[in-house]
Amino acid sequence: MGRALIELVPIGNVDAEVLDFLALVLPETLPVSCHIRNHPVELEAAYHPLRQQYHSTELLAQLIRGHRNPAAKVLGVTDVDLFIPILTFVFGEAQLGGTAAVLSIYRLDQRFYGLPEDRRLFFERCEKEALHELGHTFGLVHCSDFECVMHFSNSIEHVDLKSNAFCASCGRIVREAIARLASAPKAS
């Protein structure tokens, strides 16, 4: 049995350091291999001129349409501000139990809040939200444990309060889902 794979897909002008960082740290928490894969995603198709934001569901749909490897999950990473119609913004969106998720790093940077840049904190937030969105693709819903990375975050303060780890219950579910993913037939 091989290792499950996470494919990181840059959308827009994402800082390459963010992608390299995620490719390095995600396998430390999840028993997966992680690769950066360039795949065309039409960012402008998701733009909403009145909100001046990008509809995350449209980006997610493009990632799903471009998915070819049944033994992999796809995480699109973008530097634009994302929304879904019922919320002001989202840090990301995922297909529950599905193959793809999208993460926005736009509101994870201290400079968005008028504060001095803090690269350590920024990368820490990127890791947490990447794990959170990938957790949804492995079938996890939001967790009531406020330290679990699957705890719901609708503000940057909530992101900072939670850890970069799954609680025991969520961790067990993720490990089982990754084992099933690793045994899936590989794309030819």
Side-chain angles (χ1 to χ4, degrees):
M1 184 169 69
R3 283 176 71 99
L5 176 64
I6 303 294
E7 296 177 337
L8 299 173
V9 175
I11 303 171
N13 298 315
V14 179
D15 184 343
E17 278 188 70
V18 171
L19 297 166
D20 291 341
F21 172 77
L22 291 175
L24 185 68
V25 298
L26 291 177
E28 291 177 0
T29 302
L30 303 171
V32 297
S33 297
C34 198
H35 301 267
I36 299 167
R37 177 174 66 94
N38 288 314
H39 172 75
V41 174
E42 226 181 292
L43 189 56
E44 289 310 312
Y47 186 68
H48 191 287
L50 294 178
R51 295 185 66 134
Q52 297 182 347
Q53 292 175 298
Y54 295 80
H55 194 175
S56 57
T57 307
E58 169 59 32
L59 297 177
L60 191 58
Q62 289 187 49
L63 290 169
I64 293 166
R65 283 194 297 271
H67 183 70
R68 300 286 180 264
N69 187 348
K73 301 284 185 182
V74 178
L75 177 64
V77 182
T78 186
D79 62 342
V80 299
D81 198 20
L82 298 179
F83 80 97
I84 58 174
I86 61 168
L87 295 174
T88 305
F89 75 93
V90 291
F91 292 118
E93 183 179 351
Q95 186 186 29
L96 184 63
T99 57
V102 60
L103 163 70
S104 169
I105 63 172
Y106 184 79
R107 293 176 185 251
L108 301 179
D109 190 323
Q110 285 286 80
R111 293 175 294 183
F112 176 80
Y113 305 96
L115 298 170
E117 182 179 28
D118 183 335
R119 293 292 278 181
R120 183 201 55 77
L121 182 59
F122 172 66
F123 283 122
E124 184 178 295
R125 290 168 173 172
C126 290
E127 178 185 9
K128 289 178 185 178
E129 291 310 297
L131 287 168
H132 182 93
E133 296 307 333
L134 287 168
H136 286 314
T137 68
F138 290 116
L140 291 173
V141 294
H142 290 141
C143 182
S144 60
D145 181 342
F146 72 93
E147 290 186 351
C148 178
V149 77
M150 291 310 299
H151 192 73
F152 177 65
S153 303
N154 63 355
S155 71
I156 200 64
E157 291 83 9
H158 288 136
V159 173
D160 291 341
L161 283 173
K162 65 185 176 183
S163 76
N164 64 347
F166 295 97
C167 70
S169 176
C170 290
R172 180 181 47 74
I173 293 169
V174 164
R175 285 189 300 276
E176 290 170 1
I178 289 174
R180 286 192 300 276
L181 183 64
S183 64
K186 308 293 185 262
S188 54

